[in-house]
Amino acid sequence: MSLSRRQFLGATTASLALLSAPAFAAGRTFFGIATGGTGGTYYPLGGMLAQLISNTAELPDTKLSATAETGNASVANAQLLGRGEIESAFAAADILDAAYKGVSQFEDGAITNLRAIGALYPETVQLVVRADSGIATFEDLKGKSISSGSPGSGQWQLLGDLLEAHGMTRDDVSEDYSSFAQSVDKIKDGNLDASLITAGLPTSSVTDLANGHDIRIVPLTGPAIVKLQEAQPYYANATIPAGSYKGVETDVPTLAVRAIWATHAEVPDEVIYAVTKALYENTETLGQVHPMGKQISLDKALESVSIPVHPGAEKYYAEKGITK
């Protein structure tokens, strides 16, 4: 949440508890969407979704104004929702499941107020290196440096899971905790060997790297990946198509996990109904902003959703005949 928005909320609410619901002022309701860093997919799609909501969502006697805000991706976004510090956020399906159950990165306490609005698009796991790095398989990372995002993040957890599945540990690599964009800059400068990026295709930071350097996307396939999927069933087989980036001339087998738009239980039903409708009745417009927008559809709105669905979203799905 940006400082200016916090200042506004602080001036218009009587207590911190009121931050658990959208702010109201002069006939206007404010609705935030926590996304991710500027080098990923969450950010551009979140910005367009906020614009769609502001332009099309309808509430009686009030104007709904949505804003997309940069965030630290899935784990941090789930924690923001748990504290009621923002009205909605994008997060990976497996992270929301872990947060709601209080496992893995959330062993200190389950976040039971999490609610789903709907499923978005599959996020593709991309292990990106320079073509001259000498890294052609995951095992080649031994002794190399790799960016995995901030400790405790979904990205960080994924690297740990991949290492374990391949019979390796974090001691076998040198970890860097940069954002997508920062890690790409370090690869350009020769200060980092690899970056593990999970985002919609194409990812702007990877496109930027490929446009200036020859790259390789390391395949994630074989017995070790089967072992990982047995432990983490949210990860599905996926393909990075040839031509997704400059220099990627053949299909690359990898993994994907679906991104979910989530909220918390204290956001009013009528607000969530309005934003759910705004999303799924304007997916064509989202597809014009980013290719992943084309993969958001009402018929997949509840795919990979394991946490409870918010009653406002349930009302919309019931009207459309969509059930789990």
Side-chain angles (χ1 to χ4, degrees):
M1 190 177 293
S2 65
L3 181 60
S4 60
R5 191 164 182 272
R6 284 187 185 276
Q7 290 171 332
F8 175 82
L9 287 171
T12 57
T13 56
S15 70
L16 202 58
L18 292 180
L19 290 177
S20 63
F24 296 85
R28 192 174 294 267
T29 300
F30 296 92
F31 184 87
I33 306 170
T35 62
T38 56
T41 306
Y42 282 179
Y43 183 74
L45 271 178
M48 190 61 211
L49 179 55
Q51 185 176 332
L52 281 175
I53 291 170
S54 298
N55 291 342
T56 66
E58 297 179 356
L59 283 175
D61 305 319
T62 185
K63 166 70 174 175
L64 190 56
S65 294
T67 58
E69 304 175 14
T70 56
N72 292 319
S74 296
V75 172
N77 285 354
Q79 292 167 340
L80 279 175
L81 292 174
R83 296 191 298 267
E85 293 183 5
I86 198 159
E87 292 77 37
S88 73
F90 294 165
D94 60 320
I95 299 302
L96 288 173
D97 184 75
Y100 188 78
K101 293 177 179 175
V103 299
S104 191
Q105 306 97 307
F106 303 92
E107 290 179 350
D108 289 341
I111 306 177
T112 57
N113 68 335
L114 290 174
R115 299 292 182 268
I117 298 176
L120 298 173
Y121 57 88
E123 296 186 280
T124 304
V125 179
Q126 303 163 74
L127 179 53
V128 184
V129 301
R130 285 175 57 153
D132 59 3
S133 66
I135 300 171
T137 68
F138 188 89
E139 290 87 345
D140 292 334
L141 287 172
K142 192 166 186 176
K144 304 290 187 178
S145 58
I146 179 170
S147 175
S148 61
S150 57
S153 68
Q155 216 52 33
W156 181 86
Q157 180 66 43
L158 171 60
L159 177 61
D161 291 340
L162 284 167
L163 287 167
E164 182 178 354
H166 286 85
M168 301 164 65
T169 71
R170 293 187 186 273
D171 291 336
D172 291 318
V173 297
S174 175
E175 277 191 82
D176 178 277
Y177 306 117
S178 299
S179 68
F180 294 169
Q182 291 169 337
S183 68
V184 161
D185 286 340
K186 290 183 179 181
I187 291 175
K188 288 179 185 177
D189 297 336
N191 296 322
L192 186 68
D193 295 312
S195 181
L196 187 64
I197 293 174
T198 303
L201 292 174
T203 305
S204 61
S205 54
V206 182
T207 298
D208 177 50
L209 177 63
N211 286 342
H213 298 78
D214 293 335
I215 71 165
R216 174 183 296 122
I217 300 180
V218 178
L220 297 175
T221 189
I225 298 303
V226 173
K227 180 180 178 182
L228 171 63
Q229 290 172 317
E230 289 173 353
Q232 298 286 347
Y234 281 99
Y235 283 97
N237 293 322
T239 299
I240 299 171
S244 295
Y245 302 106
K246 182 180 178 182
V248 177
E249 298 177 350
T250 60
D251 290 352
V252 180
T254 188
L255 300 169
V257 62
R258 190 164 288 275
I260 306 293
W261 189 19
T263 183
H264 59 82
E266 291 76 26
V267 180
D269 293 0
E270 63 269 20
V271 172
I272 298 301
Y273 173 88
V275 300
T276 306
K277 182 177 181 179
L279 168 61
Y280 291 109
E281 296 189 1
N282 291 281
T283 53
E284 183 177 345
T285 301
L286 284 176
Q288 295 170 2
V289 179
H290 194 285
M292 285 298 100
K294 297 176 182 177
Q295 299 200 37
I296 301 173
S297 62
L298 182 60
D299 64 332
K300 294 182 178 180
L302 298 178
E303 187 174 293
S304 298
V305 173
S306 62
I307 66 173
V309 178
H310 193 285
E314 281 188 324
K315 178 183 176 182
Y316 177 75
Y317 296 139
E319 291 176 355
K320 298 297 181 180
I322 303 295
T323 58
K324 268 192 170 184

